Amino acid sequence: MTMTLDALARDCRNLLLADPSPAGRAQVAALLGRALLDGEFVRALFAGGMPERRILHEDPDLGFCILGHEYHDAKQGGPHDHGPSWAIYGQAEGETTMTDFVLVQPSSAGTAGKVRRERSYALRPGDAHLYNEGAIHAPARGGPTRLVRIEGTNLEKVARGKYEVVAG
């Protein structure tokens, strides 16, 4: 049976109600990965195109959001965190190279924090990766990509740190 956005939202909600910890979020990431291997689900979700960021579902009680992202060209994102929230990146089409960073110096009001590269890896269709609170990472896309992201809260309303990369 093909996954639907409503079913994904319901199943995410049930998993997070049962276990809102990082272990429960890992179950949500696994669910998203399975959904992204369903070609019919991906085609239906992205039918007609999508902007770079669109909220597809926002849970009224738990606050988590399911978003669609479509990029037509190469795009490099800078190192960022998700403030007090977590996020799951799920690759639907194309490939994203993600780089994880280690915090060297925290950001403060008006001053960028400093981070050091830790590792880079590819997210391919069906891959879903959980970034818990405090995780700093940067995505790079070499061409057209589509992804589905689940945020613990609507990140449009959250202050996040800015970071610059240092050697070492």
Side-chain angles (χ1 to χ4, degrees):
M1 181 173 188
T2 295
M3 176 64 79
T4 64
L5 178 60
D6 288 342
L8 177 64
R10 180 194 64 238
D11 292 350
C12 288
R13 177 181 173 77
N14 289 338
L15 288 169
L16 292 169
L17 280 170
D19 184 359
S21 76
R25 298 171 199 161
Q27 292 179 31
V28 172
L31 170 68
L32 178 58
R34 289 189 304 274
L36 293 173
L37 291 174
D38 179 341
E40 287 183 46
F41 170 69
V42 170
R43 281 188 295 281
L45 201 61
F46 289 93
M50 189 170 297
E52 285 192 8
R53 176 185 167 90
R54 176 182 288 158
I55 295 176
L56 304 172
H57 172 83
E58 187 166 0
D59 187 271
D61 301 315
L62 300 181
F64 73 88
C65 297
I66 300 173
L67 299 99
H69 299 272
E70 184 169 4
Y71 301 93
H72 299 283
D73 299 306
K75 186 166 185 171
Q76 172 73 45
H80 65 277
D81 62 23
H82 296 113
S85 187
W86 52 269
I88 299 167
Y89 284 63
Q91 196 73 32
E93 293 179 359
E95 185 172 304
T96 298
T97 299
M98 194 66 77
T99 300
D100 291 343
F101 295 88
V102 174
L103 182 64
V104 174
Q105 178 182 331
S107 60
S108 60
T111 304
K114 298 189 184 328
V115 294
R116 168 179 55 76
R117 279 182 180 82
E118 182 177 39
R119 69 182 182 124
S120 293
Y121 48 94
L123 296 179
R124 295 181 179 96
D127 291 342
H129 192 90
L130 168 63
Y131 299 92
N132 283 304
E133 298 88 343
I136 302 168
H137 56 277
R141 298 166 189 93
T145 57
R146 290 176 166 172
L147 61 107
V148 174
R149 221 163 43 117
I150 302 175
E151 302 171 343
T153 189
N154 184 344
L155 293 177
E156 292 175 342
K157 303 172 185 177
V158 171
R160 302 192 275 169
K162 297 186 187 312
Y163 301 96
E164 62 183 48
V165 180
V166 297

